[in-house]
Amino acid sequence: MRELMEKRVEALREELRSGQEMLASLDAKRGDLQQTLLRISGAVQVLEEMLDDPAAGSDETSAGRDRAGRPDQ
């Protein structure tokens, strides 16, 4: 009986170690994704501000278009 419990403890320790490694990996990926989303959000904000600024949108490609790039109505 004792040998069976020792094997089970060892198996559970291995599962715990594996789970901790997976969690650390996911945390790192989450951090990377948060940084990517922050950069994208910043780029969207800059572009929206440029679209709202008449002086910035004076080139021919953006003239007469709304934020989504559709022709103004």
Side-chain angles (χ1 to χ4, degrees), residues 1-31:
M1 181 70 163
R2 182 173 177 86
E3 185 178 325
L4 182 62
M5 287 190 295
E6 288 174 349
K7 287 181 180 180
R8 183 64 179 145
V9 166
E10 189 59 36
L12 288 171
R13 284 184 180 154
E14 178 61 27
E15 285 184 45
L16 178 62
R17 184 194 60 75
S18 176
Q20 288 170 333
E21 288 176 1
M22 289 173 57
L23 184 59
S25 174
L26 289 171
D27 284 341
K29 288 179 183 179
R30 179 184 173 103

Side-chain angles (χ1 to χ4, degrees):
M1 181 70 163
R2 182 173 177 86
E3 185 178 325
L4 182 62
M5 287 190 295
E6 288 174 349
K7 287 181 180 180
R8 183 64 179 145
V9 166
E10 189 59 36
L12 288 171
R13 284 184 180 154
E14 178 61 27
E15 285 184 45
L16 178 62
R17 184 194 60 75
S18 176
Q20 288 170 333
E21 288 176 1
M22 289 173 57
L23 184 59
S25 174
L26 289 171
D27 284 341
K29 288 179 183 179
R30 179 184 173 103
D32 291 344
L33 182 56
Q34 284 177 322
Q35 288 298 316
T36 299
L37 292 174
L38 185 60
R39 284 192 300 273
I40 292 170
S41 175
V44 167
Q45 182 178 353
V46 167
L47 290 172
E48 285 178 340
E49 289 173 5
M50 291 175 70
L51 287 170
D52 288 341
D53 182 6
S58 63
D59 67 340
E60 291 181 25
T61 58
S62 63
R65 297 192 180 274
D66 66 5
R67 283 187 180 193
R70 298 179 300 249
D72 285 343
Q73 306 265 324

